Amino acid sequence: MMRALRPVVWNTASRVLDTFVVRGPKARPSTTPRLSYAVETPYSAGLEKQDSLTKYLVTPSQTHGTVPGSLVCHLPLRTASKESVANIAKQKFHVCGPMVDDAENNVGWRQLSASWGNLLQDTYMGDGGKYRSRRYATFGWRSDQQNLIRMPHMPLFQTIDVNTLNGGKTRWFAPVEESTVTNSVFHNIISQAVSVFTHREIQEGRTADWFIEVDQMRIVAQPHAVGNPTPEGIHTDGTDYFLAMIVDRKNITGGRTTIYNGNREPMFETTLRLPSSAVFVNDREDSMHDVSPIACCGGEAGYRDVMILSFTNRVRPGSIERRFGLSA
């Protein structure tokens, strides 16, 4: 089954990145405003049609300048001389305190965190759970241009090897709202992650051409049921790196993040509690992770809001193949 899906996934990802607006069977609820682009092409049911593969993800240097997208902002690389960038980049994983100064009184942060109240229920849960809501978006950034480009809306795909619960299928989530994408605090958070992960690639002798995935997620715990941040269990995301940030925790216990080695032996654990505290993780180097279930305190429901920024380097050998399940 997986072998049959691989060319379909490749077609899906590359075709979405090669068009302005792509609609899937569950691409956008009618209540969600569509993003405005110059051209709209339908995402038909013909996923099985074997079109020639675009070179966008394979040799982006040849096509990046012509692939449609929406410029979000200029996102210059931060200097590696700063300890908070250079030292973090050298580590397999790193936990940092709040990335946003005085978040409680920061207007931009308050506006950003409020957007988690507009997430829509994840209807793809393999365990039948209704405890997760979500939005999703993809971006591009490359070191020679240093512009953050919002890509056309596309489905999330993970292989069954990576996600044993929900993998092996395309999942169309509502797009991240435009007010979130234009938020200056959101830009600053992505900028910090871009700088850390790009410097890690530079340290290893590579340039960076990032395929960036942004996940907004809320996990809810009810008095009669826990919420499970990682229902697939101990896993890797199939990316090169990711940043997991706590946006808010309300009336819950649990939510412990654990980093494991390739033998599933715990190497480190922490519970992110403060708003905008985060963990930077190298998802390639013999690393796996999970987050423990959350339970509400007392008789009222609670929730855990997180933002996941995932980074896959399109010019790193094997990265795109690993991310989309294309390797043999």
Side-chain angles (χ1 to χ4, degrees):
M1 179 65 175
M2 183 54 62
R3 288 184 180 274
L5 275 173
R6 284 173 180 169
V8 174
V9 174
W10 182 258
N11 263 338
T12 303
S14 55
R15 192 186 316 168
V16 168
L17 290 168
D18 233 4
T19 55
F20 280 71
V21 172
V22 180
R23 286 170 144 185
K26 300 181 180 180
R28 297 185 180 87
S30 58
T31 57
T32 304
R34 286 195 297 106
L35 298 179
S36 176
Y37 294 91
V39 176
E40 181 173 325
T41 57
Y43 183 86
S44 68
L47 285 178
E48 291 75 21
K49 182 180 178 182
Q50 299 304 307
D51 297 330
S52 59
L53 301 179
T54 179
K55 294 182 179 180
Y56 182 73
L57 294 175
V58 182
T59 54
S61 61
Q62 298 178 21
T63 61
H64 188 88
T66 61
V67 172
S70 175
L71 176 64
V72 176
C73 64
H74 182 60
L75 211 65
L77 189 64
R78 301 184 179 203
T79 174
S81 63
K82 292 185 177 180
E83 182 177 354
S84 60
V85 172
N87 286 349
I88 295 175
K90 296 176 182 178
Q91 302 175 40
K92 287 186 176 182
F93 52 87
H94 176 85
V95 176
C96 69
M99 295 176 65
V100 178
D101 294 333
D102 194 18
E104 183 177 347
N105 297 311
N106 187 307
V107 174
W109 173 259
R110 292 205 304 268
Q111 293 172 341
L112 177 64
S113 60
S115 69
W116 266 255
N118 298 329
L119 306 188
L120 301 183
Q121 184 176 319
D122 183 344
T123 60
Y124 295 96
M125 297 298 293
D127 61 358
K130 300 183 183 299
Y131 52 82
R132 182 160 75 184
S133 53
R134 193 168 190 166
R135 287 183 182 270
Y136 176 75
T138 59
F139 298 82
W141 185 96
R142 54 184 290 181
S143 54
D144 61 344
Q145 296 179 358
Q146 302 190 22
N147 290 326
L148 184 66
I149 305 295
R150 182 169 189 170
M151 306 310 299
H153 196 50
M154 66 181 288
L156 171 64
F157 180 88
Q158 294 174 304
T159 68
I160 295 176
D161 292 339
V162 166
N163 189 329
T164 56
L165 181 68
N166 299 317
K169 56 190 173 185
T170 54
R171 292 178 284 166
W172 285 95
F173 296 112
V176 171
E177 295 176 301
E178 193 68 14
S179 59
T180 299
V181 175
T182 58
N183 183 286
S184 60
V185 174
F186 176 73
H187 298 168
N188 184 55
I189 293 168
I190 291 187
S191 174
Q192 293 182 63
V194 163
S195 294
V196 167
F197 298 141
T198 299
H199 283 302
R200 177 56 184 254
E201 293 297 283
I202 292 173
Q203 290 168 0
E204 296 186 355
R206 290 184 294 268
T207 58
D209 187 348
W210 294 119
F211 172 61
I212 304 171
E213 299 169 84
V214 175
D215 276 290
Q216 293 179 280
M217 286 186 281
R218 169 171 287 183
I219 305 297
V220 176
Q222 302 285 355
H224 59 278
V226 299
N228 200 341
T230 55
E232 64 270 44
I234 300 173
H235 67 286
T236 174
D237 287 348
T239 63
D240 290 334
Y241 310 94
F242 69 86
L243 167 73
M245 169 180 285
I246 281 292
V247 175
D248 196 12
R249 289 173 56 103
K250 182 178 180 181
N251 194 43
I252 61 167
T253 60
R256 181 187 66 253
T257 299
T258 304
I259 309 296
Y260 303 84
N261 62 22
N263 295 321
R264 297 177 175 242
E265 299 167 336
M267 295 189 293
F268 178 81
E269 64 180 37
T270 185
T271 301
L272 301 173
R273 300 184 184 278
L274 297 176
S276 81
S277 58
V279 55
F280 293 79
V281 177
N282 187 328
D283 201 35
R284 284 288 291 258
E285 294 194 1
D286 197 28
S287 172
M288 306 181 82
H289 61 277
D290 74 352
V291 180
S292 66
I294 62 171
C296 62
C297 303
E300 295 185 5
Y303 60 80
R304 180 180 186 264
D305 290 349
V306 297
M307 178 165 64
I308 310 295
L309 306 180
S310 303
F311 289 73
T312 303
N313 189 356
R314 289 187 289 257
V315 294
R316 180 173 179 172
S319 285
I320 286 297
E321 289 78 6
R322 179 173 182 262
R323 171 62 189 84
F324 289 103
L326 297 166
S327 51

